[in-house]
Amino acid sequence: MEEKVLIFGHKNPDTDTICSSLVKEILDKKNGESDTKAVRLGNLNKETQYVLKYLGMEAPELIKKVEEGQKVILVDHNEFGQSVEGIEKAKILSVTDHHRIANFETAEPLYYNAKPYGCTSTILFEEFKQKGLEIEKKEAVLMASAIISDTLLLKSPTTTKQDRKALEELAKIAKIEVNQYGMEMLKAGTNLEDFTAKELVNLDAKSLEKDEIKFVIAQVNTVSIQEVLKRQEELETAMNEEIVKKGLHIFVLAITDILDSNTEIMVLGEKSEIVEKAFSVNLENNCAFLEGVVSRKKQLLPNIDKTIGNEELA
Ligand code: MN
Ligand code: MN
């Protein structure tokens, strides 16, 4: 078993998951706890690669599972379905997260810092403040990048005033011009050319379940929805493979235009009509345009979840 306490975010890591893991390790060290280590559960996306390259930092070590009794710290997730293999038998010391709490339980007491902010790093930023710890350039860039990523440059409806305040202060320490740095970072993440369709539909996919309906909402950011739709046929093949492999009832691929803040959804699965009801749309050629929708957490997931709940009552 790994001696150190392992810090990690969710599978299919995004920029908040990676940056917040690294920042949590830095925060713990500054707080006198040197036995923690950031790790990751999957490959870095191109946006996160951009951030680490900017800082000249190495990616955290990749782990596949944890042994029974392994001490762990979770950031940016809590649902076991999105966590590491073996999480049920691990000893969870703390959670820092900004998602709903679901499919999560522990045998022992723990620290749990949940805030409905736009980003885990905003919660960590406040922890630095509360503990009176100095924020240096490296962690400022990491936290600022995470906030820019999760809030799509403060344009997502998940954005809170705490995120705005944190980003403003972090940008000064990081010496970045938020819009310029942020656009470059976000655009780095939209370079999807050399991903296979299978990789694309898994890049940022979250597995969810409600009332025995199993579904995945995957999201890709782009500067041109049309460019992604050119690959519809192979994307659908990859989505159907996931549906069979995981026994899914619905697979939603959300193609989000980060410039115009809209989303085109591509939906497959025997229960696709739930998604049509959830957004009052008709799928045409398996697709529908959702104006002003950019957030999985606050727009896509709650509507689908609620609709499944209503279906069960009907
Ligand atoms: Mn995340
Ligand atoms: Mn997050």
Side-chain angles (χ1 to χ4, degrees):
M1 192 174 11
E2 176 68 52
E3 289 274 303
K4 294 204 170 188
V5 178
L6 300 177
I7 306 169
F8 49 83
H10 51 81
K11 281 180 190 157
N12 304 326
D14 56 17
T15 297
D16 185 27
T17 262
I18 296 293
C19 292
S20 289
S21 307
L22 292 165
V23 170
K24 177 71 175 140
E25 183 187 323
I26 294 167
L27 190 149
D28 284 349
K29 291 227 162 72
K30 291 195 174 192
N31 204 30
E33 295 155 40
S34 57
D35 65 335
T36 62
K37 179 174 117 180
V39 295
R40 66 187 159 97
L41 308 184
N43 294 333
L44 297 189
N45 66 34
K46 290 197 178 163
E47 185 191 281
T48 314
Q49 285 175 22
Y50 176 92
V51 177
L52 295 189
K53 195 170 163 209
Y54 182 88
L55 284 166
M57 279 180 83
E58 294 287 322
E61 188 187 314
L62 177 71
I63 62 160
K64 292 281 181 206
K65 57 175 184 171
V66 294
E67 306 291 328
E68 186 172 347
Q70 171 68 50
K71 289 182 184 163
V72 301
I73 289 173
L74 309 188
V75 297
D76 198 35
H77 76 300
N78 66 80
E79 298 192 39
F80 284 179
Q82 294 163 17
S83 199
V84 74
E85 191 188 327
I87 188 68
E88 295 83 359
K89 299 267 175 76
K91 188 173 159 59
I92 303 172
L93 302 187
S94 79
V95 179
T96 307
D97 188 25
H98 66 131
H99 294 88
R100 69 173 190 179
I101 301 172
N103 307 309
F104 174 87
E105 66 174 288
T106 60
E108 291 177 58
L110 76 162
Y111 289 97
Y112 201 117
N113 193 358
K115 297 255 164 67
Y117 296 169
C119 180
T120 303
S121 272
T122 304
I123 308 174
L124 294 173
F125 167 81
E126 290 190 350
E127 270 194 45
F128 272 95
K129 296 273 155 187
Q130 284 152 7
K131 294 189 161 90
L133 301 170
E134 189 196 353
I135 298 172
E136 292 174 84
K137 186 175 176 189
K138 181 163 80 175
E139 53 268 24
V141 172
L142 290 169
M143 286 188 274
S145 301
I147 295 169
I148 290 166
S149 173
D150 266 13
T151 67
L152 290 178
L153 259 173
L154 305 177
K155 283 195 295 185
S156 166
T158 56
T159 311
T160 64
K161 64 175 190 289
Q162 289 85 358
D163 301 303
R164 289 177 199 285
K165 185 174 173 293
L167 182 55
E168 193 185 330
E169 194 170 331
L170 289 166
K172 281 182 201 145
I173 304 167
K175 295 193 169 61
I176 55 168
E177 202 284 297
V178 169
N179 283 309
Q180 193 209 333
Y181 172 85
M183 253 314 146
E184 274 181 37
M185 187 198 92
L186 290 172
K187 277 190 178 157
T190 66
N191 178 6
L192 307 172
E193 289 152 25
D194 43 333
F195 287 110
T196 64
K198 187 183 165 70
E199 285 168 336
L200 269 188
V201 303
N202 283 296
L203 206 54
D204 179 14
K206 290 215 165 126
S207 298
L208 301 143
E209 190 167 344
K210 162 108 179 174
D211 297 342
E212 287 169 14
I213 305 280
K214 291 172 80 172
F215 58 108
V216 162
I217 308 177
Q219 190 166 31
V220 292
N221 288 343
T222 183
V223 290
S224 165
I225 287 171
Q226 287 313 315
E227 277 301 307
V228 181
L229 286 179
K230 280 181 188 164
R231 300 179 67 178
Q232 181 166 2
E233 204 179 312
E234 52 166 335
L235 288 169
E236 288 192 1
T237 305
M239 286 160 68
N240 275 321
E241 280 170 16
E242 293 299 311
I243 287 170
V244 172
K245 194 170 91 187
K246 297 186 175 137
L248 303 173
H249 299 95
I250 312 168
F251 194 114
V252 181
L253 177 64
I255 305 160
T256 298
D257 185 327
I258 58 165
L259 301 181
D260 296 339
S261 303
N262 296 313
T263 290
E264 178 91 13
I265 47 169
M266 198 183 288
V267 188
L268 293 179
E270 62 185 77
K271 299 265 184 192
S272 303
E273 81 277 1
I274 288 174
V275 180
E276 294 188 303
K277 273 189 202 155
F279 300 100
S280 309
V281 292
N282 291 313
L283 293 171
E284 278 175 50
N285 191 19
N286 302 324
C287 290
F289 183 70
L290 304 182
E291 195 171 348
V293 169
V294 294
S295 169
R296 170 170 46 201
K297 186 163 62 152
K298 212 157 182 169
Q299 296 170 310
L300 294 169
L301 173 58
N303 276 308
I304 295 172
D305 228 43
K306 201 167 62 194
T307 309
I308 293 173
N310 291 341
E311 291 278 294
E312 292 304 305
L313 291 174

